[in-house]
Amino acid sequence: PDPEVRAAARTRLDALAKPLGALGRVEELAAWWSACAGRCPADPPAAVRAVILAGDHGVSADGVSAYPREVTAAMVRAFVAGVAGASVLARQHDVALRVLDLAVDADLDDLPGVAEHKVRRSSGAVDREDALTAAQTWAALDAGALVAAEEVAAGADLLVLGDMGIGNTTPAAALVAASLGAPAEQVVGRGTGVDDARLAHKTAVVTRALARAGDRVGDPVERLTALGSADLAAGVGFLVAAARARVPVLLDGVVPLAELLVAEDLQPGVVAWCAAGHRSTEPAQRLALEKLGLEPVLDLGLRLGEGTGALTALPVLRSAALLLRDMALLADLAP
Amino acid sequence: PDPEVRAAARTRLDALAKPLGALGRVEELAAWWSACAGRCPADPPAAVRAVILAGDHGVSADGVSAYPREVTAAMVRAFVAGVAGASVLARQHDVALRVLDLAVDADLDDLPGVAEHKVRRSSGAVDREDALTAAQTWAALDAGALVAAEEVAAGADLLVLGDMGIGNTTPAAALVAASLGAPAEQVVGRGTGVDDARLAHKTAVVTRALARAGDRVGDPVERLTALGSADLAAGVGFLVAAARARVPVLLDGVVPLAELLVAEDLQPGVVAWCAAGHRSTEPAQRLALEKLGLEPVLDLGLRLGEGTGALTALPVLRSAALLLRDMALLADLAP
């Protein structure tokens, strides 16, 4: 993002027909969007493309989620059919929605294009084994980067990154813990809604995973290999590629934030192209946000994933751009 | 709102293809909207009409605001010209926007229709005199009710209530204090952004106003006469009439919430037709929300008034209705 354009946006915000600072957080969004677009004022995001990266996780065989892993494949079909939560919101906000099977534990070859970047069926159970082989990690990083490049080539002026995968808050929490040096107790949350016993089990799974991975997690790619998954590694590649292409990304909940934490380690500066759409109920997201210096636009208690928090926040980002562009200047009002 | 429809909406929400409760606050909005519409699922609000009630206030001659009162008339002209913040957001969300001069201290007769319900030029300085005569209070209540009826007749399925008036957070704070029996120190905030000295002055103004009004504030109409204004009294009439017409209202910041507090005293049950769009930075709004049992959709630090907080929240309400109507049921997904 262009710091001079950001400064110009702040100057224009102060000159609009309103009290100083009276648009609150919307002013930060407007300045960020202008800086990313490289123009002040900039048109609002018009060609928005959302990508949902789907995968299963070895840990979901073992009671970390309130739902069985078969739900992941069923939800991929629901996205394709246009009847999932994210589908509804994408239609509302004129967003192109694409779902990709990176590691779903099912055969989805009957869905055109959905499995074209598939790395494997389910990633490993991170408390007992590596999530991926090193080659699979690189394949997933490359797949995510390629998807981002395809979306940019399709004309995206804003990307939305979402996730789908029963059990995926467990590797996300492990990645956040490993990235920040935090203990499992600080990162593990209730995901889709587990009870106290499953929460304790999930915490134990993350504790064992962190102990098993040990010092390898200092390297961000090794961290993905040991504790991540193909879908999460693809998210990391997606974010790095989007930033390289200078296309901003609106992020959803804990999974994309865990991906961003790793992406920022891999390629410092990626975070400058990212905004957080929604505050997750997962503690790992709060830690990631604090570390990255991001403040979510919304806090509606959503815990659905799928990019739904980011999609719900999109009209606020559009409002920010429109207000900066179309409001009168105070100097233009007849006194 | 229909309690049976609300219950049906909750049942349907629990059956959607998502974890239980995973849409957070959006689920409450969806149930409220269905109950107001009397159908489950209901179509999202389509014919949304926003009304901004404008007026000046005697206290603004005396340093309670960071801005001179001439700004009120200039902003009314900005709404008519379509260049104010609320104008930009109304266009974004396909909302019909209407501004009405109830008590602006200027001659706005050149603006077609804007002054057709004008009660007076500026309301009284509430620390020294009544805001209105008894006849003016009733005229303003009637004007607000008539405006609501006109908007309903124009086909509104949702109303938005906003405010414009330099100094208006002072009578709003006084009305909240008088409605709740709270001292001035608990209700007074920085409005458009006053410094510490003006904040202390504003607190003293509200303290004097409450002392002057005394026991008269037990009656909601007398409360408006002593401490309100023509624009705030019109807001009260508007809310009562909207509820009688069974048309829901999305409210903005501290001024509409102060109006709702008085409206609920005048006609218990009005609050059931209202949702709060945005959390104000004014402490009086928090007290009113707590008393009324409302939780705002957004908390973006907006402090612009004009209905901007409600307009920014509108797409979330539309999302709520669309998700309830269009998401698949869990039972419909192939397992």
Side-chain angles (χ1 to χ4, degrees):
Chain A
D2 187 323
E4 287 182 28
V5 175
R6 188 188 296 257
R10 290 201 169 124
T11 300
R12 184 176 170 90
L13 283 162
D14 286 348
L16 295 177
K18 61 169 185 58
L20 270 182
L23 294 174
R25 293 262 300 113
V26 170
E27 301 200 5
E28 296 165 41
L29 277 175
W32 172 77
W33 174 252
S34 276
C36 290
R39 290 179 302 280
C40 173
D43 291 336
V48 185
R49 302 185 69 88
V51 170
I52 300 173
L53 301 173
D56 281 304
H57 303 272
V59 293
S60 74
D62 199 27
V64 295
S65 173
Y67 290 83
R69 69 162 58 183
E70 288 71 20
V71 169
T72 306
M75 286 307 302
V76 171
R77 294 185 185 280
F79 294 124
V80 172
V83 296
S87 317
V88 174
L89 297 170
R91 270 198 301 279
Q92 180 187 0
H93 299 308
D94 195 20
V95 172
L97 181 67
R98 181 179 178 194
V99 60
L100 284 160
D101 165 11
L102 272 296
V104 178
D105 191 16
D107 185 344
L108 297 171
D109 283 338
D110 58 310
L111 302 174
V114 165
E116 65 186 353
H117 294 294
K118 187 156 189 164
V119 173
R120 53 185 279 174
R121 277 180 72 132
S122 183
S123 297
V126 293
D127 57 332
R128 298 190 301 269
E129 61 189 339
D130 276 4
L132 303 166
T133 67
Q136 287 168 345
T137 305
W138 285 108
L141 285 164
D142 287 348
L146 185 58
V147 170
E150 287 168 354
E151 297 303 312
V152 171
D157 57 6
L158 175 72
L159 295 167
V160 169
L161 180 59
D163 62 280
M164 179 67 223
I166 296 301
N168 69 5
T169 62
T170 298
L175 287 176
V176 170
S179 298
L180 302 179
E185 290 74 13
Q186 283 185 22
V187 293
V188 171
R190 291 182 189 270
T192 47
V194 299
D195 59 19
D196 287 349
R198 285 198 185 181
L199 183 69
H201 168 67
K202 193 172 166 183
T203 306
V205 165
V206 173
T207 300
R208 285 200 302 274
L210 293 171
R212 192 188 57 72
D215 291 342
R216 292 168 60 204
V217 301
D219 176 77
V221 177
E222 279 285 297
R223 200 183 309 153
L224 291 170
T225 299
L227 300 176
S229 67
D231 40 319
L232 271 72
V236 173
F238 182 94
L239 291 170
V240 171
R244 281 204 185 133
R246 307 178 68 80
V247 175
V249 187
L250 192 55
L251 297 178
D252 198 32
V254 65
V255 172
L257 262 295
E259 291 162 358
L260 177 55
L261 211 46
V262 180
E264 184 69 14
D265 272 359
L266 207 56
Q267 178 74 48
V270 170
V271 65
W273 294 93
C274 296
H278 189 279
R279 186 171 290 283
S280 171
T281 50
E282 293 291 295
Q285 197 219 29
R286 182 175 51 74
L287 293 176
L289 290 166
E290 283 171 10
K291 172 72 175 178
L292 295 163
L294 294 176
E295 174 80 17
V297 178
L298 301 179
D299 183 6
L300 293 166
L302 296 178
R303 48 185 176 77
L304 184 56
E306 308 182 1
T308 51
L311 290 166
T312 306
L314 175 58
V316 180
L317 176 58
R318 285 179 166 150
S319 294
L322 288 166
L323 289 164
L324 182 61
R325 190 188 72 181
D326 296 342
M327 270 178 77
L329 302 182
L330 203 52
D332 293 339
L333 296 189
Chain B
D2 187 323
E4 286 183 26
V5 175
R6 187 186 298 255
R10 291 203 167 122
T11 300
R12 184 176 171 90
L13 284 162
D14 286 348
L16 295 178
K18 60 169 185 59
L20 270 183
L23 294 175
R25 293 260 300 114
V26 170
E27 301 199 4
E28 296 164 42
L29 277 175
W32 172 76
W33 175 252
S34 276
C36 289
R39 291 180 300 282
C40 172
D43 291 336
V48 185
R49 303 185 69 89
V51 170
I52 300 173
L53 301 173
D56 281 304
H57 303 271
V59 292
S60 74
D62 199 28
V64 295
S65 173
Y67 290 83
R69 69 162 59 182
E70 288 71 20
V71 169
T72 305
M75 287 306 303
V76 171
R77 293 185 185 279
F79 294 123
V80 172
V83 296
S87 317
V88 174
L89 297 170
R91 270 197 300 279
Q92 180 187 0
H93 299 309
D94 195 20
V95 172
L97 181 67
R98 179 178 181 195
V99 59
L100 285 160
D101 164 12
L102 272 297
V104 179
D105 190 16
D107 184 346
L108 297 171
D109 283 339
D110 59 310
L111 301 174
V114 166
E116 65 186 353
H117 294 294
K118 188 156 187 162
V119 173
R120 54 185 278 174
R121 277 180 72 133
S122 184
S123 296
V126 293
D127 57 333
R128 297 190 301 270
E129 60 189 340
D130 276 5
L132 303 166
T133 66
Q136 286 167 345
T137 305
W138 284 109
L141 284 164
D142 287 348
L146 185 58
V147 169
E150 287 168 355
E151 297 303 312
V152 170
D157 57 7
L158 175 71
L159 295 167
V160 169
L161 180 58
D163 63 280
M164 178 67 224
I166 297 301
N168 69 6
T169 61
T170 300
L175 286 176
V176 171
S179 298
L180 302 178
E185 290 74 14
Q186 284 184 22
V187 293
V188 171
R190 291 181 189 272
T192 49
V194 300
D195 59 18
D196 287 349
R198 285 198 185 182
L199 184 68
H201 168 68
K202 193 171 166 183
T203 307
V205 165
V206 173
T207 300
R208 284 200 302 273
L210 293 171
R212 192 187 58 72
D215 290 343
R216 292 169 59 203
V217 301
D219 176 77
V221 177
E222 278 285 296
R223 201 182 309 153
L224 291 169
T225 299
L227 299 175
S229 67
D231 40 319
L232 271 73
V236 173
F238 182 95
L239 291 170
V240 171
R244 281 203 185 134
R246 307 179 67 80
V247 174
V249 186
L250 192 55
L251 296 178
D252 198 31
V254 63
V255 173
L257 261 295
E259 291 162 358
L260 177 55
L261 210 47
V262 180
E264 185 69 14
D265 272 359
L266 206 56
Q267 178 75 48
V270 171
V271 66
W273 293 93
C274 295
H278 189 280
R279 185 171 291 283
S280 171
T281 50
E282 293 291 297
Q285 198 220 28
R286 183 176 50 73
L287 293 177
L289 290 166
E290 283 171 9
K291 172 70 177 181
L292 294 163
L294 295 176
E295 174 80 17
V297 178
L298 301 179
D299 183 6
L300 293 166
L302 296 178
R303 47 185 176 80
L304 183 55
E306 308 181 359
T308 51
L311 290 166
T312 305
L314 175 59
V316 180
L317 176 58
R318 283 179 168 150
S319 294
L322 288 165
L323 289 163
L324 182 60
R325 189 188 71 181
D326 295 342
M327 270 179 77
L329 302 182
L330 203 53
D332 293 337
L333 295 188

